[in-house]
Amino acid sequence: MRECRAARVPRVLLTVVAALVLSACRQPVTGTPGTPAGSPRGGTAATGQGPEFLGPAECSSRGGTVREVSCGSERAAARVLARYTGTPSDGPACPPTTDFVLHISRGGPSAPRGYACMRNLESPHPGDPGQGGGPRTVVGDCVQGLRDGEVRETACDGSNERPPEFEIGSAAARRALCPDSTDLYVRLGGDRPVGCAHRV
């Protein structure tokens, strides 16, 4: 579940930026989405499946130590959608369908420090629109207001602890292009960085 703080401006401006998941699950954050349920815990360890540790299209295990495994293995839990060196705050955003971001802390030429954008091989997919998780906020996601201008992403079907209050119905290049019925503006990033949300 993700949590962010919104500035108090007319029609409420909600700022949500691309999040990162370091080695731990459910890391509390302010101003960025949080870690979705079901994210790997613990560190990472290479197994030599390819020239780069957890390169694009490779798969990881899940558990105390995340390892690179064959995607045909019964231990395979998630696939790499994209892999970047450096840190998520300085690098490219993960694809919208990313379920969680794995921070790769092991160094060396075969396993450079960086982050991998991961997609679970099987459901659930917290990064899908409306599911209430994942490292990015996308069109179709819902949020619920808390206090002091804070909101938290939640499942649109009401299955999470907090019911949804707003749903992001579309994205625009700037706020003026959102529908007149917009109740909340959500920063999404990309070439259409403004999410236009309406009360549900």
Side-chain angles (χ1 to χ4, degrees):
M1 220 174 262
R2 296 176 286 189
E3 186 173 302
C4 54
R5 182 177 296 273
R8 290 198 175 275
V9 297
R11 297 172 85 182
V12 189
L13 171 63
L14 166 65
T15 302
V16 181
V17 295
L20 63 126
V21 177
L22 300 178
S23 297
C25 179
R26 292 200 175 278
Q27 173 181 338
V29 292
T30 300
T32 60
T35 310
S39 300
R41 299 173 181 270
T44 57
T47 61
Q49 296 290 321
E52 179 183 50
F53 177 58
L54 287 180
E58 292 179 337
C59 291
S60 72
S61 65
R62 183 167 299 174
T65 299
V66 176
R67 297 181 180 276
E68 183 180 306
V69 297
S70 167
C71 291
S73 167
E74 62 182 16
R75 295 184 299 149
R79 186 184 304 271
V80 180
L81 298 179
R83 168 74 154 83
Y84 303 109
T85 56
T87 62
S89 60
D90 298 327
C94 284
T97 56
T98 300
D99 286 330
F100 62 92
V101 179
L102 182 64
H103 175 78
I104 299 170
S105 59
R106 180 170 176 167
S110 63
R113 296 177 187 274
Y115 58 102
C117 309
M118 308 297 293
R119 172 89 172 167
N120 293 329
L121 294 179
E122 298 179 355
S123 296
H125 293 292
D128 283 354
Q131 297 303 302
R136 292 190 58 182
T137 301
V138 298
V139 172
D141 279 340
C142 292
V143 295
Q144 202 268 351
L146 299 177
R147 63 185 184 282
D148 299 327
E150 291 184 351
V151 298
R152 176 178 294 173
E153 187 177 329
T154 189
C156 290
D157 64 5
S159 60
N160 285 357
E161 180 181 346
R162 296 181 178 273
E165 286 188 299
F166 302 92
E167 181 176 355
I168 304 167
S170 61
R174 58 185 187 277
R175 286 172 36 181
L177 298 178
C178 284
D180 291 340
S181 60
T182 299
D183 298 307
L184 190 73
Y185 299 99
V186 182
R187 188 169 183 181
L188 304 178
D191 57 354
R192 293 191 299 165
V194 180
C196 313
H198 58 274
R199 190 175 291 276
V200 296

